[in-house]
Amino acid sequence: MPSIPEISVTEARSRLAGANPPRLSDVREIEEYEIAHIAGAELLPLSQWPAIAAEKLADPGQALLIHCHHGGRSGNATEYLLRSGYSDVTNVAGGIDAWSLEIDPSIPRY
């Protein structure tokens, strides 16, 4: 398996603000999402995969950005989706923690 595609939070913000933004999925758990989340991100807890991925991510060609707290779980989710035939999936390096530090300091860090 080639390396997992990954972008910085700055690149993610640019893609999300673009004309044809990707879908932003958060694979942390609900308790973490309730503490802090990026506006517009959908919660798809990794603990509920692969069922939730099959149900919620029905289009394997849709552009997806996947994030978690620091990037580990989202890296696993990205790798899973690529192995499952999804073609445009990218891990957000540093996750919501980097987003809080570099993009939106109003998002609580934990």
Side-chain angles (χ1 to χ4, degrees), residues 22-70:
R23 187 170 174 178
L24 179 62
S25 296
D26 183 336
V27 298
R28 298 173 303 141
E29 297 304 311
I30 192 163
E31 298 82 11
E32 294 173 283
Y33 187 86
E34 289 172 348
I35 293 168
H37 62 272
I38 298 169
E42 66 181 328
L43 180 63
L44 301 174
L46 195 59
S47 64
Q48 297 176 24
W49 285 49
I52 198 168
E55 176 189 341
K56 301 286 186 180
L57 303 174
D59 179 2
Q62 182 178 29
L64 301 169
L65 295 182
I66 310 292
H67 86 87
C68 63
H69 191 195
H70 291 111

Side-chain angles (χ1 to χ4, degrees), residues 81-105:
L81 291 168
L82 291 169
R83 279 196 329 262
S84 299
Y86 289 74
S87 60
D88 190 359
V89 186
T90 306
N91 184 38
V92 178
I96 196 165
D97 194 57
W99 189 278
S100 178
L101 287 169
E102 299 176 35
I103 305 296
D104 184 357

